[in-house]
Amino acid sequence: MLDKATPPRTLTLNAADNVAVAVDPVDVGVTAAGVTALKRIPRGHKLALSRIATGEPIRKFGQIIGFATVDIPPGEWVHEHNTGFHAFERDYAFCAEAKPEFVLPVEQQATFQGFRRQGSNGNPGKAGTRNYVGILTSVNCSASAARFMAEEVKRSGLLADYPNVDGVIALTHGTGCGIDYNGESFEVLKRTTWGYACNPNMAAVLVVGLGCEGFQIKRMKDAYGVEESDVFRTLTIQETGGTKKAVAAGIEALKVMLPIANRAVRETVPASELMLALQCGGSDGYSGITANPALGKAVDLLVEHGGTAILSETPEIYGAEHLLTRRAATREVGEKLVGIIKWWEDYTARARMDMNNNPSPGNKAGGLTTILEKSLGAAAKGGTKTLAAVYHYAEQVKSKGFVYMDTPGYDPVSATGQVAGGANILAFTTGRGSAYGCKPTPSVKLATNTPMYLKQTDDMDINCGDVLDGVTLEEKGKEIFDYLLRIASGEHSKSEEMGYGDAEFVPWQIGATM
């Protein structure tokens, strides 16, 4: 507990800022950051350092996070009651801060123990961090049958004979019909389903359909030139003769797949084979100060070791996109990101929504006031490296280094797109305490503050709250990087230990449901 004689700690993040962040609660009448608090400032919230006139910008991180809706005196609590949001011009300065990347020679790169998949033309395939057999569905109508298959495998004890297999997982969803099979909904679901089927954490896949749905399995197979094999099977309930017969046929297919999947063994693989998905959920006022920039340091390390990191959640980089366009490798890359931002502005307007509908109530309770403030903190997950490429949802990520993928901010939908893109490990920062897992890709939870970490220690993997106590971002970033290598090598994350990940497969439904 803080000694009452000790002034509460605050952080001023940039010399241009006119607010400070309360590390400790600041009571009325207490002096902190050189001003006397006029209202109680909860921890993680903002304290005005000087007078901010109505209409003037409020600055944090040296950037605009909102505008004063009333005159704000020094010492005032700065939050929803006196802060507003409106659009303003941002300087995209395409490529201004892009620089050639330094990548360590292969012999100096860190390694992990992964599953090397079969390649082609004599080249090694991608490397997985897990070894799952998946049951995917083309439509919600086949979801129960897929689940029955996975439950029967678990109940039967069959997996005991295959110790190298991490599990048989049924990844079901709520769409697949009532869609235009010539439209965007079909294309996105097709990319997502095939992306999971060929994710390196999958050793083998069975795709189960009903038969009459809009999302026809054959159309997906034709699109990607896929043939049936011992590690890729499909069936439909209607063609097989009903649910019971389909489940029995599925079990027989799995019995063929499991021995093949079990042949995979871990071997030494360079860290350049890691593709790290970056997520944040349940963010708070500390996210952009501790866990997100610390994860950004780990991303920089991963890129230097030849690996790939995927930043996403477009509604949660809105207002910070100019920091990414400056790092774009080419103007084309930067303009693609800006085009995606404009698509989202139109998308939300058509749905009678507002880009500032985010932050969530929990985010606001944790100290975040506007989407601009949240985005500036969220973008810090991406580190400082050059933005090599920008991808649409669930597209296969082929570039190395730091890349961006367009996804919603809703974590299950966002992570589903990243895993479909090839992510074989995921890091998830949280300030309020998110409950999340991501089979077949292990999810590592990073707590932004110590009180939440101690309260939810069963869910959290790493405490980044000690950054507020003097641990440097570089030290914390190295801790995260080393921990990711351990998880990639087979150590279970907290969410894996609890069994999270079966229900978090949520493909993005962009188009109309008919």
Side-chain angles (χ1 to χ4, degrees):
M1 183 174 292
L2 189 70
D3 188 332
K4 291 186 177 181
T6 303
R9 296 171 296 167
T10 62
L11 286 173
T12 303
L13 302 174
N14 187 283
D17 291 355
N18 51 15
V19 295
V21 178
V23 176
D24 306 308
V26 183
D27 288 327
V28 176
V30 172
T31 298
V35 296
T36 301
L38 302 179
K39 288 191 176 69
R40 186 178 187 277
I41 315 297
R43 63 183 185 86
H45 286 243
K46 297 173 291 295
L47 170 74
L49 296 175
S50 59
R51 181 180 179 275
I52 309 171
T54 303
E56 286 187 346
I58 297 167
R59 295 184 183 273
K60 179 183 172 184
F61 305 111
Q63 302 287 330
I64 295 173
I65 64 165
F67 299 87
T69 55
V70 297
D71 287 349
I72 301 176
E76 180 62 84
W77 176 31
V78 178
H79 201 33
E80 289 181 277
H81 60 287
N82 54 20
T83 303
F85 164 86
H86 61 74
F88 62 96
E89 289 295 321
R90 294 182 280 281
D91 181 7
Y92 290 129
F94 294 109
C95 313
E97 297 174 14
K99 53 187 182 294
E101 295 293 7
F102 167 75
V103 178
L104 289 164
V106 174
E107 63 271 13
Q108 295 180 28
Q109 291 176 10
T111 61
F112 68 99
Q113 297 299 303
F115 296 98
R116 179 68 79 178
R117 301 305 181 192
Q118 184 177 354
S120 59
N121 300 321
N123 297 315
K126 297 178 181 179
T129 64
R130 295 295 182 268
N131 194 41
Y132 279 102
V133 172
I135 309 171
L136 301 177
T137 56
S138 63
V139 66
N140 181 252
C141 303
S142 57
S144 290
R147 181 169 51 83
F148 295 155
M149 294 173 195
E151 289 173 350
E152 174 58 23
V153 169
K154 185 176 181 180
R155 186 199 62 77
S156 69
L158 186 62
L159 285 174
D161 295 330
Y162 306 108
N164 293 339
V165 177
D166 287 300
V168 173
I169 49 174
L171 299 177
T172 64
H173 58 86
T175 182
C177 207
I179 61 175
D180 181 353
Y181 50 78
N182 291 311
E184 191 171 23
S185 292
F186 178 89
E187 289 302 313
V188 170
L189 185 57
K190 179 185 74 176
R191 287 203 305 266
T192 305
T193 304
W194 178 243
Y196 265 70
C198 61
N199 185 285
N201 289 355
M202 290 287 206
V205 167
L206 169 66
V207 185
V208 181
L210 175 61
C212 58
E213 61 269 21
F215 182 69
Q216 288 286 301
I217 296 174
K218 185 179 184 304
R219 289 172 66 95
M220 182 187 73
K221 290 166 63 177
D222 290 345
Y224 294 107
V226 184
E227 300 289 341
E228 300 271 328
S229 70
D230 287 341
V231 293
F232 183 83
R233 295 282 192 91
T234 68
L235 64 84
T236 66
I237 294 171
Q238 291 171 348
E239 185 176 299
T240 309
T243 301
K244 289 186 177 181
K245 290 178 181 177
V247 171
I251 295 296
E252 291 306 308
L254 293 170
K255 286 180 178 178
V256 173
M257 291 176 171
L258 282 167
I260 298 170
N262 195 60
R263 294 175 196 162
V265 294
R266 291 188 181 272
E267 60 183 87
T268 301
V269 178
S272 59
E273 291 294 334
L274 287 179
M275 187 178 290
L276 174 65
L278 307 174
Q279 287 288 318
C280 58
S283 301
D284 68 354
Y286 299 127
S287 294
I289 300 170
T290 61
N292 286 351
L295 179 54
K297 295 293 184 183
V299 165
D300 286 350
L301 282 173
L302 178 60
V303 172
E304 289 174 7
H305 285 261
T308 305
I310 311 171
L311 182 66
S312 295
E313 302 177 286
T314 306
E316 296 177 14
I317 61 104
Y318 181 75
E321 73 274 10
H322 62 293
L323 302 181
L324 298 176
T325 58
R326 291 167 178 265
R327 294 158 52 191
T330 66
R331 186 179 182 92
E332 181 183 21
V333 168
E335 288 182 338
K336 187 173 182 180
L337 179 60
V338 174
I340 286 170
I341 292 290
K342 294 185 182 303
W343 182 90
W344 271 94
E345 290 175 332
D346 178 66
Y347 181 53
T348 53
R350 283 186 281 115
R352 299 181 183 179
M353 298 173 69
D354 191 296
M355 292 297 285
N356 197 42
N357 70 69
N358 200 330
S360 70
N363 296 151
K364 292 178 179 179
L368 296 176
T369 303
T370 67
I371 186 54
L372 301 176
E373 181 181 12
K374 183 176 182 179
S375 292
L376 289 162
K381 298 193 303 294
T384 63
K385 299 298 186 181
T386 295
L387 178 63
V390 172
Y391 293 92
H392 290 294
Y393 186 84
E395 284 186 331
Q396 289 292 297
V397 174
K398 297 179 179 178
S399 299
K400 291 285 188 179
F402 171 59
V403 303
Y404 189 84
M405 177 182 283
D406 176 34
T407 74
Y410 182 43
D411 303 309
V413 178
S414 179
T416 295
Q418 292 173 317
V419 174
N424 54 11
I425 192 165
L426 184 150
F428 191 120
T429 68
T430 180
R432 305 293 288 175
S434 293
Y436 179 76
C438 189
K439 291 177 182 175
T441 294
S443 173
V444 172
K445 289 290 184 55
L446 310 175
T448 73
N449 64 89
T450 301
M452 187 276 288
Y453 174 80
L454 295 176
K455 188 175 183 179
Q456 298 189 30
T457 186
D458 291 338
D459 293 87
M460 298 297 119
D461 293 281
I462 293 178
N463 177 30
C464 297
D466 52 10
V467 169
L468 299 172
D469 302 321
V471 174
T472 68
L473 290 173
E474 288 74 15
E475 290 169 334
K476 188 55 63 172
K478 182 63 164 60
E479 179 186 343
I480 294 169
F481 179 69
D482 290 343
Y483 187 75
L484 290 171
L485 292 174
R486 286 162 45 197
I487 295 298
S489 297
E491 184 175 325
H492 281 184
S493 67
K494 293 289 186 68
S495 65
E496 287 184 293
E497 288 177 354
M498 287 188 290
Y500 272 104
D502 295 280
E504 286 80 0
F505 175 70
V506 189
W508 190 8
Q509 298 185 51
I510 299 177
T513 300
M514 306 299 286

